[in-house]
Amino acid sequence: TLAARAAEAASTLEPCGVWSARAMHPLGVERRGDSEAPVDHTVTISAFLRSDAEGYKAIIVNYPVHNVALSHENRLISGDIFGHAAARLSAVVAGNPACIFLPGASGNINPPRVSSDFSLPEEWGAGLATVVQAALEEAREEESLVAITSRSVPVEMELLEGEALAARATQLCRPLVGREDYASRRVCDAIAIWERRMREQGQRSHSEVEVYGVLLGSTLYALAGAELFSHMSAYVPSVCPVGCASGILGYLAPRYAY
């Protein structure tokens, strides 16, 4: 079970130094067709080097892209790009480290295309692992500082009621009317469910978002349960934003995106 594996990991604790590195990797593209929208290509790396300097214990990599190179035709369980990147990186870096890849602020960023087989995840995963491996050669040692904090942040919500709600649902579905492919049908179904729930459950003027700050050396990660858009990376360059796909809050998007 997950709890048992966590206990197993806790039993293997050992002293490590914190090392950090950054690189650029132009894999992600703007998924909404907006050529003016910002796309962050930064690879942020926090690595934990064993005290004997014989290898890494663990590596955390943050790269803003949806982990969706496999198309919906492939229903097999897979780690997709990040899964292949983690396996490859663990195999080629000294110490056989545990590797974790985070999706950054990727609400508007996808891989360039998708495939129903594993060729693209394998290719792009290997490429991402190679970028991280090369960046580790230039990694700098940090003060071994680890700190965690959290805060609940109110986010103002746009209210849609009555005719305005119906008009927005119609607007969203209009480009998909008459299309019979799987994705179009699912999107239209989702919009219908969204509209019905908005009417049944009512709306709130704001929502609370739990934001976590995790400091590893000099790298500050800001984590939130929402799909963050890439423009957030430019707000405070010293902070590394991390969202999650299908986040609890949904998309935390700038107005231009909707």
Side-chain angles (χ1 to χ4, degrees):
T1 66
L2 185 59
R5 295 305 298 272
E8 179 185 343
S11 69
T12 64
L13 295 176
E14 60 182 283
C16 290
V18 180
W19 292 67
S20 67
R22 290 203 174 196
M24 302 299 290
H25 185 49
L27 173 64
V29 298
E30 219 291 324
R31 63 187 291 225
R32 305 167 71 90
D34 184 353
S35 60
E36 300 299 320
V39 175
D40 184 14
H41 291 142
T42 307
V43 183
T44 304
I45 305 159
S46 294
F48 300 86
L49 186 67
R50 290 185 167 94
S51 57
D52 59 10
E54 290 298 317
Y56 288 97
K57 176 76 171 180
I59 300 172
I60 298 173
V61 181
N62 188 61
Y63 181 65
V65 69
H66 266 81
N67 189 35
V68 291
L70 282 176
S71 65
H72 64 265
E73 289 91 358
N74 191 321
R75 299 307 180 90
L76 299 176
I77 296 174
S78 168
D80 214 293
I81 300 172
F82 289 166
H84 287 285
R88 176 69 173 269
L89 188 62
S90 181
V92 299
V93 171
N96 190 226
C99 299
I100 301 174
F101 281 75
L102 306 174
S106 58
N108 62 312
I109 306 178
N110 266 8
R113 59 187 186 280
V114 297
S115 171
S116 59
D117 61 40
F118 292 98
S119 58
L120 291 182
E122 290 174 354
E123 175 187 346
W124 290 335
L128 183 54
T130 299
V131 169
V132 175
Q133 183 183 11
L136 287 173
E137 298 294 328
E138 305 296 329
R140 65 181 185 277
E141 186 174 10
E142 301 277 9
E143 181 181 356
S144 294
L145 176 64
V146 177
I148 300 175
T149 188
S150 68
R151 178 176 297 178
S152 184
V153 179
V155 175
E156 185 177 350
M157 309 296 286
E158 179 182 3
L159 297 179
L160 291 173
E161 300 176 325
E163 294 182 0
L165 178 60
R168 178 61 61 87
T170 300
Q171 176 190 17
L172 293 170
C173 274
R174 186 175 294 121
L176 306 175
V177 172
R179 296 173 58 174
E180 295 298 326
D181 60 284
Y182 171 83
S184 296
R185 294 198 309 271
R186 288 296 302 274
V187 170
C188 284
D189 289 346
I191 293 170
I193 293 171
W194 167 75
E195 181 183 5
R196 185 181 73 247
R197 289 181 176 175
M198 292 281 276
R199 293 185 185 281
E200 293 174 351
Q201 300 175 7
Q203 301 179 58
R204 296 173 294 176
S205 61
H206 72 280
S207 182
E208 297 291 326
V209 181
E210 196 74 14
V211 178
Y212 291 85
V214 179
L215 183 66
L216 301 177
S218 64
T219 303
L220 177 59
Y221 296 89
L223 302 93
E227 290 210 34
L228 309 178
F229 271 51
S230 189
H231 73 292
M232 292 188 175
S233 301
Y235 281 162
V236 185
S238 60
V239 174
C240 184
V242 182
C244 61
S246 302
I248 297 168
L249 187 68
Y251 287 102
L252 194 56
R255 182 168 292 275
Y256 76 77
Y258 63 91

